[in-house]
Amino acid sequence: MRAGRIAGYAVLTAYAVISVYPFLWMVSGAVKTREEVLAGGHLIPRLPTWETLITTWNQLHFVEYFRNSLVVTGLTVLGVLVVYSLASYAFAVLDFPGRRALFWFFVSLLFVPGITMLLPVVILEKNLGILGSHLGLVLPFVNGTAPLTVLLLTGAYRSIPKELREAARADGAREARVFWSVYLPLARPAHITIAVLTAVPTWNEYVLTRVSINDPSLYTLPLGLQSLISSQVPRYNEVMAASLIIVLPVIALFLFLQRYFVNGLLGAIKG
């Protein structure tokens, strides 16, 4: 038993090292000169410099692209929480014809590859006149999170004792009041989990953004990174510095909300 546990820890440790190594290489390259990166062969910088990060910050137009990414991500998270928290409450608590079939229809969309919807989405947005705008990014992102969000939030709401709703209804509270005052506070970890699961892929989204956005003033951070990579002579130290700048907010968000994230997943699974 002890030998098996040690072997398990050894495998997990090796996997962790292999997973973290590319990130450490990115951090290392972000404080190296271009020549040192091209020389390769060592992880620890010999002559670390902050100049690479400063230069990349200016070339990436970080403030403008960060603002665009923040707007798109923030509106997407808000839309997801508003729309699908109400939908999940209906699936978990209310009784209406076709509830079970409609719920499993939403869940089944998890098995539809998102890339297959790219062309129909672009055509639809062109017809609606929102192609090339931030709204044209937010709406597909909100729609794309429906299956997982409905599944997790419905499970979280079902884990809340029905007696609480019945007591609130007996006191004269309407359905909207029950949702706002009882279910939302008790399911807060699940909502934070959904916010993180929505924010991270939206922040890093590239494919739809690349296809639909042509105006540089509307670029998000991944498009700014691509502009560095696609230059005639890529400076790999600046590419790694830009990658580090982009990923740091995501890491900070996860570390800040880690406790709620884990609790939210556990609550949704139990439900």
Side-chain angles (χ1 to χ4, degrees), residues 10-11 69 76 78 122 142 164 168 197 205 222 225 237 240 254 259:
V11 171
S69 291
T76 300
L78 180 63
V122 170
V142 171
L164 296 176
L197 292 176
E205 166 60 31
L225 174 61
N237 60 326
M240 285 186 274
F254 179 78
R259 176 167 59 92

Side-chain angles (χ1 to χ4, degrees), residues 194-267:
I194 293 300
V196 174
L197 292 176
T198 301
V200 173
T202 302
W203 185 269
N204 297 324
E205 166 60 31
Y206 173 76
V207 177
L208 179 60
T209 310
R210 175 70 280 177
V211 170
S212 59
I213 300 294
N214 293 318
D215 185 356
S217 65
L218 299 178
Y219 276 7
T220 56
L221 286 171
L223 293 186
L225 174 61
Q226 177 61 31
S227 66
L228 291 178
I229 298 175
S230 60
S231 60
Q232 292 183 351
V233 183
R235 297 181 177 271
Y236 294 107
N237 60 326
E238 294 180 1
V239 171
M240 285 186 274
S243 301
L244 179 61
I245 292 173
I246 293 173
V247 79
L248 281 179
V250 175
I251 295 175
L253 176 67
F254 179 78
L255 292 177
F256 181 70
L257 300 175
Q258 180 181 8
R259 176 167 59 92
Y260 299 101
F261 182 81
V262 174
N263 292 338
L265 284 179
L266 291 176

Side-chain angles (χ1 to χ4, degrees), residues 21 25 28 32 35-44 46:
Y21 183 78
W25 187 265
S28 173
K32 289 180 180 179
E35 291 74 17
E36 190 174 0
V37 169
L38 292 176
H42 58 279
L43 179 63
I44 301 176
R46 294 171 182 168

Side-chain angles (χ1 to χ4, degrees), residues 68-81 138 199 202-203:
N68 292 337
S69 291
L70 192 63
V71 168
V72 172
T73 303
L75 291 177
T76 300
V77 171
L78 180 63
V80 167
L81 292 178
V138 171
T202 302
W203 185 269

Side-chain angles (χ1 to χ4, degrees), residues 150-209:
V150 168
L151 179 64
L152 292 179
L153 284 184
T154 301
Y157 291 155
R158 284 175 178 170
S159 67
I160 298 174
K162 293 183 178 180
E163 292 77 9
L164 296 176
R165 173 175 177 266
E166 294 172 356
R169 294 288 290 170
D171 289 339
R174 295 190 177 185
E175 208 66 62
R177 183 67 176 177
V178 174
F179 170 72
W180 182 263
S181 299
V182 177
Y183 279 78
L184 278 184
L186 292 177
R188 183 176 63 173
H191 293 109
I192 294 177
T193 299
I194 293 300
V196 174
L197 292 176
T198 301
V200 173
T202 302
W203 185 269
N204 297 324
E205 166 60 31
Y206 173 76
V207 177
L208 179 60
T209 310

